[in-house]
Amino acid sequence: YWHYFPVYVTMGNHEALIRVFADSSRRRFLSVDRFPYEAQSAEAVFARNFVSPENGPASEDGAIYDPNPNRIDFPSYEENVFYYTYDNVAMIVLNSDYWYAPSTDAVGITSGNIHGFIMDNQLRWFEETVAQLEQDESVDHVFVTLHTPFFPNGGHVIDDMWYSGDFTRTAFVAGVPLKVGIIQRRDQLLDVAVNRSRKVLAILTGDEHNYNLLELTSETDIYPEDYPFDEIDLSRTMYQVNNGAAGAPYYAQERTPECAGLLSRRRFQRGDGSSESRYVGRGHAQDAPVKQKPLVMTRPLGPGAIPLDQEHHTNEH
């Protein structure tokens, strides 16, 4: 297939390559990105197995939280963060599972990054790349793709860039949390994509095992109650398109603040017995009777359908 049709890939939590440590009872496990980073990290193995553009940032080395500027403390971004163009369209590919430590609740002990968090150097590269493409007269439209939705709506409302509204979640370096939480970092990404760009049309994501189209406007509610930080004022409309429905068990939609902005393609029955399909928002779902219910996978996966090796792979969510 990909001998004839070019395919570009990016990393997600299913591409994590980890080291696992257990306590003496073997009832508690801690997992971190596999090291040494240069040869055995998830990022290094990913780069050896896929050929992608090499125009991304170097690593998180040199960031303000780098514990030792004289040594390599982080894995490389080589071939897992990049951008490419096709005709008048540019695609920016981010890695929202960089330096991923799957035992997220213990990341303060192990250090590492949490699912969905974009670290400082990658954010800075994103800012610079969007600014560059804004000035490129050969590019009319820009899309951003990454594994984790900015706005999860199913099984991943407990993580991604939401963590059930827990804005304190962040990466840890050398046992110290970063000063910016997951929702603040999401807003910094949004500021670049929406307020500093006229060309970014949509964020293309996966992770959630469903399809949804979110229309993001200045009226969309995107914060938990009693959020203590400044809220972003979006200057224009942008879209998030999630399509993680390529065979995994279906994740039903959960209620989150931005639900009103979700657009679903529903089939409605007309009075004459015929039907039509159209996009509707959550607030309009009851305007007409729905002829068909959403398909939900109930058949269990067969033996061997998802190979797991705890020493090498994580398959959380």
Side-chain angles (χ1 to χ4, degrees):
Y1 172 75
W2 33 6
H3 289 286
Y4 306 97
F5 193 89
V7 175
Y8 291 92
V9 294
T10 188
M11 294 184 67
N13 56 303
H14 290 258
E15 285 66 58
L17 190 64
I18 60 177
R19 287 196 182 276
V20 179
F21 301 89
D23 63 11
S24 57
S25 69
R26 297 192 66 81
R27 293 179 179 176
R28 187 182 185 192
F29 297 89
L30 301 178
S31 50
V32 296
D33 197 359
R34 195 169 179 84
F35 54 85
Y37 297 139
E38 301 95 315
Q40 297 188 30
S41 66
E43 293 79 7
V45 173
F46 188 86
R48 289 201 297 270
N49 283 275
F50 296 99
V51 178
S52 300
E54 299 181 21
N55 54 17
S59 73
E60 288 299 315
D61 288 287
I64 192 171
Y65 41 71
D66 184 357
N68 189 338
N70 298 316
R71 70 181 184 197
I72 296 175
D73 296 300
F74 299 93
S76 174
Y77 280 122
E78 183 179 2
E79 295 187 83
N80 63 78
V81 174
F82 53 90
Y83 80 93
Y84 61 91
T85 59
Y86 183 84
D87 197 30
N88 66 336
V89 176
M91 180 73 75
I92 299 174
V93 180
L94 301 179
N95 182 356
S96 55
D97 280 291
Y98 172 81
W99 198 45
Y100 177 42
S103 49
T104 301
D105 290 340
V107 73
I109 299 172
T110 64
S111 290
N113 197 11
I114 62 173
H115 186 53
F117 191 87
I118 301 294
M119 297 183 73
D120 286 14
N121 285 356
Q122 187 178 176
L123 172 64
R124 186 174 301 109
W125 175 85
F126 179 59
E127 293 173 337
E128 294 169 354
T129 302
V130 169
Q132 173 187 328
L133 294 172
E134 283 292 304
Q135 299 303 315
D136 189 336
E137 294 183 357
S138 69
V139 173
D140 295 320
H141 310 294
V142 178
F143 293 88
V144 179
T145 186
L146 70 168
H147 183 59
T148 56
F150 283 32
F151 304 99
N153 79 319
H156 282 284
V157 297
I158 61 173
D159 48 38
D160 284 349
M161 296 191 188
W162 182 241
Y163 283 86
S164 300
D166 184 356
F167 49 83
T168 66
R169 296 295 189 120
T170 191
F172 277 72
V173 178
V176 179
L178 271 61
K179 295 181 179 180
V180 175
I182 186 72
I183 296 178
Q184 291 172 285
R185 182 50 46 95
R186 178 205 68 186
D187 283 0
Q188 291 173 328
L189 292 163
L190 281 175
D191 183 55
V192 175
V194 178
N195 294 341
R196 297 195 231 169
S197 171
R198 298 171 292 103
K199 296 181 180 181
V200 177
L201 300 179
I203 308 161
L204 310 179
T205 66
D207 209 21
E208 290 285 25
H209 300 176
N210 58 41
Y211 170 82
N212 72 75
L213 172 61
L214 173 67
E215 182 181 45
L216 183 66
T217 74
S218 60
E219 302 300 318
T220 307
D221 186 2
I222 59 174
Y223 294 100
E225 292 184 7
D226 302 319
Y227 185 66
F229 303 106
D230 291 339
E231 299 182 5
I232 190 171
D233 183 15
L234 299 177
S235 61
R236 63 183 179 90
T237 296
M238 193 183 67
Y239 297 89
Q240 175 184 278
V241 183
N242 185 85
N243 190 4
Y250 177 79
Y251 285 177
Q253 183 169 291
E254 302 282 345
R255 183 167 294 279
T256 56
E258 71 278 358
C259 277
L262 286 175
L263 300 176
S264 301
R265 182 167 286 281
R266 296 289 188 87
R267 185 165 295 279
F268 296 104
Q269 188 172 12
R270 300 189 183 99
D272 61 4
S274 62
S275 62
E276 64 174 335
S277 177
R278 65 178 186 266
Y279 279 108
V280 296
R282 277 289 299 252
H284 305 288
Q286 303 302 318
D287 288 353
V290 179
K291 185 177 181 181
Q292 296 177 332
K293 293 183 178 179
L295 176 65
V296 178
M297 178 182 287
T298 56
R299 179 177 61 84
L301 295 173
I306 304 179
L308 285 175
D309 178 350
Q310 192 177 43
E311 183 62 20
H312 297 288
H313 296 277
T314 180
N315 226 344
E316 294 183 358
H317 307 298

